[in-house]
Amino acid sequence: MTESSKRNTIIDLTKPLNTSFIPYSTGKYTDPPLEFSAWSFLHREGFRVTRLSMGTQSGTHIDAPAHFLEDGAPLEALSPDHLMGEYYLLDLPGAASLSDISELLKTYHDEKILFLRTPENSSTKISREAMHKILSMPPALLVLSGEIEIENSEPFAFNRLVARAAKFLVEDLDQKEAHNLPARGEIFVFPLRLVGVSGSPCRVIVRVPETKTTGQGFQKYIS
């Protein structure tokens, strides 16, 4: 009889925040820059503190409905229970119709988080009806790797649809890591506990269970 033990593979989907960070900009608008400055010093105060300045949507971040709606829910409206759990991976084609999405969702089994992944280094153009189908699913949290554009719609139409459905959205992931994500696993989203704001930078971690079987090496413990 073989002995089995579980271990986990940890995948970090968070983009690093360092001096190479470029804030989002469009037209004449630019997000706040990322700035670090020394606040206290070892030789003076006996400890080191760095002053940090950034926007609530800097780097890998979560959007609350308030990011796009005047009366939208702020960040604290989402219970921490919704920020972790099994995800359902929805691999989107370059163009997605309602029938495409309906087919992709057939194997959904009450996973807590929807993970939307567009083709590598490309975006997905999706019909409004197909997007409504996605938003009709139970999860309150969507995680997006890539970019989604709503057919024949104005800029930010995707984000506004998500907000109007009272969903929260995690975006701007490390796409290289996200592209290698397995079909099953658990995801953990850790925003700052900010109050009254439209979002927060966050750490996004995926845990993929594996099983080790004596004499057979390591095998993915995913279905």
Side-chain angles (χ1 to χ4, degrees), residues 62-114:
I62 183 171
D63 287 341
H67 187 42
F68 282 94
L69 296 180
E70 189 68 34
D71 59 348
L75 179 63
E76 69 268 20
L78 185 65
S79 166
D81 181 60
H82 293 291
L83 294 169
M84 57 191 80
E86 291 186 353
Y87 62 83
Y88 182 79
L89 182 60
L90 199 60
D91 263 327
L92 301 171
S97 65
L98 176 58
S99 61
D100 295 327
I101 296 302
S102 297
E103 184 66 27
L104 289 171
L105 288 171
K106 281 184 176 180
T107 55
Y108 173 77
H109 292 300
D110 298 319
E111 287 85 359
K112 189 178 288 186
I113 296 167
L114 282 183

Side-chain angles (χ1 to χ4, degrees), residues 102-156:
S102 297
E103 184 66 27
L104 289 171
L105 288 171
K106 281 184 176 180
T107 55
Y108 173 77
H109 292 300
D110 298 319
E111 287 85 359
K112 189 178 288 186
I113 296 167
L114 282 183
F115 196 113
L116 312 179
R117 183 168 64 183
T118 68
E120 189 175 16
N121 300 319
S122 185
S123 60
T124 289
K125 183 173 288 189
I126 191 170
S127 71
R128 189 172 290 266
E129 295 76 16
M131 193 65 222
H132 282 306
K133 176 68 175 178
I134 291 173
L135 295 174
S136 72
M137 304 301 288
L141 182 64
L142 307 180
V143 178
L144 171 64
S145 174
E147 294 185 8
I148 293 178
E149 177 185 348
I150 306 298
E151 288 180 349
N152 305 315
S153 297
E154 72 284 357
F156 305 120

Side-chain angles (χ1 to χ4, degrees), residues 19-53:
T19 55
S20 66
F21 170 74
I22 300 175
Y24 170 80
S25 64
T26 178
K28 295 181 179 180
Y29 172 81
T30 301
D31 270 354
L34 173 67
E35 297 177 338
F36 302 101
S37 58
W39 185 260
S40 69
F41 301 86
L42 289 172
H43 70 272
R44 191 174 68 192
E45 286 82 14
F47 53 85
R48 184 184 291 115
V49 172
T50 300
R51 180 172 181 169
L52 172 64
S53 177

